Amino acid sequence: MNDYKCVTDTGWAANIGNLTALWQRFGATSTVLQGGAVLNRSIAWPNRVWFQPDSQPARLQPWQHAVDSAPLDSTFVVWDTEHASAQPWLASLDTLGLAPTSELSAMTMPANSIDTRARTTLEIETIIDSSGAQRWSALCSRCFGYSINDRVITAVASRPDVWLMSGIWHGKAVATALLYRTGQVTGVHQVGVDPEYRGRGIARAMMLRALGMANHSWNPSLFVLQASAQGRGLYQQLGFRQQFQLGLFKRSEQ
């Protein structure tokens, strides 16, 4: 009997592939476990631990290895591409001391299906150097309420497949976005707004500007992202459609 679940939908593969390739860019190690499961662990922020989606274990022994070998602050990612939340093995993760912390919706949209010409007063600053990356990391940390390692961001800021953006509203940097390109797929990541400036349409303006700039410069065929419950409504309004769920787990004592 096959112990591993496979991702067969190319849309799923494009979404997961972009996200995990970005995590690899940030820095990660990979280990092939007995049975063929490929375990990946971040060496810094974003502190992710995940199995390759085509080898995600459907039994607990590899997960036990992942828990035992990961740093205490790790977040464990489960790909729910086959409605695995209904499967007993996923519910059994609590026996390993893992508790669910949040759930994200993986979403996708054809790049040619959105009109990004809407007028907005939001200006965009492109970040390419270390000082800009430090400012961006500090702003993004405020937006999301957790600390982002500026050295990780600095290391990727000047890469041609990474686009760091700050949204400037009335002369002040108030929003962030990170675009990452894998082939014809552009992933939209770390879209956030400073808490003091929320409720003014800035998130929507930031998305429209980011998507428009990516369309113009990279000419992608597909946009992908992973949405929290808070952002899902906006992305649906823009035309993104849900594909599958990602479960995020941490050690229950944390």
Side-chain angles (χ1 to χ4, degrees):
M1 179 179 179
N2 187 358
D3 285 325
Y4 304 104
K5 299 191 278 97
C6 295
V7 178
T8 56
D9 186 281
T10 56
W12 295 350
N15 199 315
I16 293 176
N18 182 274
L19 177 60
T20 57
L22 178 61
W23 289 343
Q24 293 284 3
R25 284 276 182 246
F26 288 152
T29 62
S30 298
T31 305
V32 180
L33 304 183
Q34 185 177 5
V38 181
L39 176 64
N40 302 276
R41 288 164 289 200
S42 295
I43 59 178
W45 178 87
N47 307 316
R48 295 292 189 255
V49 176
W50 74 98
F51 286 96
Q52 292 296 102
D54 58 354
S55 69
Q56 179 173 254
R59 55 193 175 93
L60 290 183
Q61 184 177 358
W63 286 103
Q64 181 70 69
H65 179 91
V67 172
D68 291 344
S69 61
L72 291 178
D73 59 352
S74 297
T75 297
F76 300 81
V77 183
V78 177
W79 315 112
D80 193 8
T81 56
E82 299 177 3
H83 304 291
S85 57
Q87 298 184 11
W89 74 269
L90 184 56
S92 298
L93 288 180
D94 64 354
T95 66
L96 304 181
L98 295 181
T101 58
S102 61
E103 188 174 66
L104 302 177
S105 296
M107 308 182 78
T108 186
M109 181 182 67
N112 61 2
S113 66
I114 184 171
D115 183 359
T116 59
R117 296 171 297 178
R119 297 185 61 183
T120 172
T121 58
L122 190 73
E123 300 178 358
I124 296 296
E125 177 188 7
T126 296
I127 307 300
I128 59 173
D129 59 17
S130 60
S131 61
Q134 291 172 8
R135 295 195 308 272
W136 186 94
S137 299
L139 173 58
C140 199
S141 297
R142 290 198 302 275
C143 293
F144 284 89
Y146 54 73
S147 179
I148 293 175
N149 189 325
D150 60 5
R151 284 182 287 185
V152 172
I153 299 301
T154 298
V156 302
S158 61
R159 290 190 57 87
D161 52 5
V162 173
W163 201 340
L164 286 178
M165 300 178 176
S166 293
I168 311 299
W169 191 76
H170 295 295
K172 181 176 176 59
V174 298
T176 60
L178 186 159
L179 304 184
Y180 182 58
R181 177 177 59 181
T182 48
Q184 291 299 303
V185 177
T186 290
V188 186
H189 307 277
Q190 300 299 136
V191 177
V193 177
D194 189 314
E196 293 185 15
Y197 293 88
R198 291 174 185 169
R200 310 185 193 195
I202 293 174
R204 181 183 181 87
M206 189 70 187
M207 281 294 296
L208 289 172
R209 292 300 308 274
L211 297 177
M213 292 172 69
N215 266 337
H216 178 75
S217 297
W218 286 351
N219 192 31
S221 61
L222 190 70
F223 287 115
V224 298
L225 55 78
Q226 302 79 38
S228 65
Q230 182 180 9
R232 192 179 304 133
L234 168 61
Y235 302 137
Q236 288 175 331
Q237 292 173 13
L238 293 175
F240 283 86
R241 294 294 176 263
Q242 183 170 311
Q243 293 177 292
F244 59 91
Q245 299 298 110
L246 290 75
L248 303 183
F249 292 74
K250 293 182 81 69
R251 290 177 174 86
S252 55
E253 65 268 19
Q254 289 194 295

